[in-house]
Amino acid sequence: RERYTGLINRYRDHLPVSENTPVISLGEGNTPLIRLQNIPRLLGKDVDIYVKYEGLNPTGSFKDRGMTMAVTKAVEAGSNAIICASTGNTSAAAAAYAARAGITAFVLIPEGKIAMGKLAQAMMYGAVIMQIRGNFDAGMQLVKEVADKAPVTIVNSVNPFRLQGQKTAAFEIVEELNRAPDFHCLPVGNAGNITAHWMGYSEYHRAGVCNSLPKMVGYQAAGSAPFLRGGPVADPETVATAIRIGNPQSWDKAWALQKESQGWFDELQDNDILAAQRLLAEKEGVFCEPASAASLGGAMRDVRSGKIPEGSTVVCTLTGNGLKDPDTAIEQCREARMVTIDAELGAVRDAILSQM
Ligand code: F0G
């Protein structure tokens, strides 16, 4: 079998690259599609739910799929620096791929509102970090304006190569299931990823690789849900900091694909997002970050209500690794999961017996 060297080499026939394109890769893509065993039983419904564990990409999120393309094309065009605004994951991916390419990454992040793992990554990979007194939307606006005034390439999802790379997740799912799912559920911030998935499914459908298309379902955090409000949200707030976004960049594309695919948008309260994150970890052994759990939490609710009917095949994208945000995880579980005891045999035995 051929050595796996990342998604550009794997899918080069479907991507805007040539033989001479200098591929910048960290072996991203090819992530596991895990069939849930315990949660469907708990729901009492006959549904097949798979999670696409994008947290196993090289920097721990789906952003690596987009970043390998964006940085490859930036280097091909002769760029020496990239820039992005980010809630955390894009900054980690940009920093890593820039390091790999030997160019500079500038990242704008909202002060105090980024998960610790992501901040550690951007620092370690050597990005120039600008912490702004403002949110993601303010950072995004600044990045768009400065790109005209400084020699930097934007690698946010407004860069079309990002979505090209990210569409490959849909290719992998179709190949693994030998069909498209009936429903594909994702957390939505800027709506770049849901757009990219729809592009991927549509391309494979046109090419005859699959003969149906999924309904695309996007879930937002209730405090940051512009798709539910019908317009931008001025002060987005949510524990799922990755999707703390009030002014989505792929607004029109997302509405178009919602109609075309006959899917829908919905919202979840922070508590429901965290409960889904915990349930997935406790019942299936899969740890994702809070934002990612919005896909599963929403899907579970829609399966229960019958909006997603029995007999369906459902894929939920787990966009980021749970290790990205240790603080939120520990805060939720500390009391339920930890006892402090003396370092004595009797105390350990008592602790075991008390739990059985
Ligand atoms: N899940 C995670 C873990 C994310 O980091 C993001 C976006 C999304 C979902 C939403 O994806 O924006 O394509 O709809 N994170 C960006 C960032 C904004 O800066 O890391 P989307």
Side-chain angles (χ1 to χ4, degrees):
R1 203 168 51 126
E2 215 175 306
R3 198 168 83 85
Y4 184 82
T5 55
L7 61 84
I8 294 181
N9 286 333
R10 172 72 181 80
Y11 292 111
R12 55 171 54 246
D13 295 349
H14 295 273
L15 294 169
V17 292
S18 75
E19 273 165 37
N20 300 322
T21 303
V23 174
I24 310 296
S25 172
L26 292 166
E28 59 294 312
N30 197 23
T31 56
L33 185 67
I34 303 169
R35 184 165 181 265
L36 299 188
Q37 293 183 345
N38 301 317
I39 289 177
R41 210 168 343 173
L42 286 176
L43 293 171
K45 297 280 189 179
D46 174 25
V47 283
D48 258 340
I49 306 178
Y50 295 84
V51 291
K52 180 71 167 160
Y53 197 13
E54 291 289 277
L56 290 193
N57 275 295
T59 78
S61 86
F62 72 96
K63 304 288 180 179
D64 294 342
R65 291 183 188 273
M67 209 53 76
T68 184
M69 273 301 300
V71 173
T72 289
K73 295 302 282 187
V75 169
E76 183 175 44
S79 178
N80 290 312
I82 58 174
I83 190 166
C84 65
S86 181
T87 57
N89 282 324
T90 301
S91 71
Y97 284 81
R100 182 79 165 170
I103 63 175
T104 305
F106 296 97
V107 306
L108 276 71
I109 55 170
E111 181 183 24
K113 293 290 184 180
I114 140 169
M116 275 305 135
K118 304 173 188 182
L119 186 58
Q121 287 180 292
M123 288 177 156
M124 282 298 287
Y125 296 133
V128 179
I129 302 170
M130 294 175 236
Q131 181 166 242
I132 61 167
R133 294 185 198 96
N135 62 23
F136 170 86
D137 303 300
M140 191 65 239
Q141 188 57 40
L142 287 164
V143 163
K144 285 185 186 171
E145 285 170 23
V146 83
D148 295 333
K149 302 191 168 50
V152 288
T153 304
I154 300 187
V155 295
N156 281 104
S157 57
V158 295
N159 177 328
F161 298 122
R162 278 277 310 277
L163 301 192
Q164 286 293 320
Q166 286 170 218
K167 77 183 179 186
T168 60
F171 294 168
E172 291 176 12
I173 292 163
V174 169
E175 286 162 16
E176 195 124 338
L177 297 177
N178 281 310
R179 54 165 291 190
D182 301 308
F183 297 87
H184 189 128
C185 305
L186 297 107
V188 167
N190 280 307
N193 207 27
I194 197 169
T195 301
H197 278 76
W198 182 244
M199 286 166 52
Y201 284 122
S202 301
E203 265 185 57
Y204 261 21
H205 187 241
R206 277 195 301 276
V209 185
C210 51
N211 50 29
S212 67
L213 287 165
K215 292 184 167 55
M216 302 299 293
V217 184
Y219 297 107
Q220 300 213 281
S224 307
F227 284 102
L228 280 298
R229 307 290 166 262
V233 169
D235 289 305
E237 211 38 90
T238 170
V239 69
T241 53
I243 50 172
R244 187 173 170 272
I245 294 168
N247 189 14
Q249 298 300 304
S250 294
W251 180 260
D252 294 337
K253 291 190 187 107
W255 281 117
L257 76 85
Q258 177 270 321
K259 287 198 186 71
E260 230 184 299
S261 80
Q262 301 171 338
W264 60 87
F265 295 112
D266 209 340
E267 61 190 304
L268 280 90
Q269 300 296 329
D270 280 0
N271 279 343
D272 295 328
I273 290 175
L274 295 178
Q277 184 197 18
R278 265 199 323 271
L279 190 76
L280 181 64
E282 289 177 7
K283 300 297 179 196
E284 304 281 357
V286 178
F287 188 20
C288 67
E289 68 171 283
S292 309
S295 61
L296 178 67
M300 288 191 317
R301 192 173 64 198
D302 288 339
V303 165
R304 260 195 220 105
S305 75
K307 194 169 181 182
I308 295 178
E310 292 203 76
S312 298
T313 297
V314 183
V315 172
C316 296
T317 298
L318 301 180
T319 45
N321 197 298
L323 296 171
K324 293 271 191 175
D325 191 353
D327 303 78
T328 305
I330 292 169
E331 206 175 302
Q332 290 189 73
C333 298
R334 191 190 295 280
E335 279 175 28
R337 292 282 167 263
M338 195 151 62
V339 291
T340 305
I341 57 167
D342 292 332
E344 280 176 359
L345 188 57
V348 176
R349 190 200 54 205
D350 289 349
I352 291 171
L353 294 178
S354 78
Q355 295 295 316
M356 307 199 46

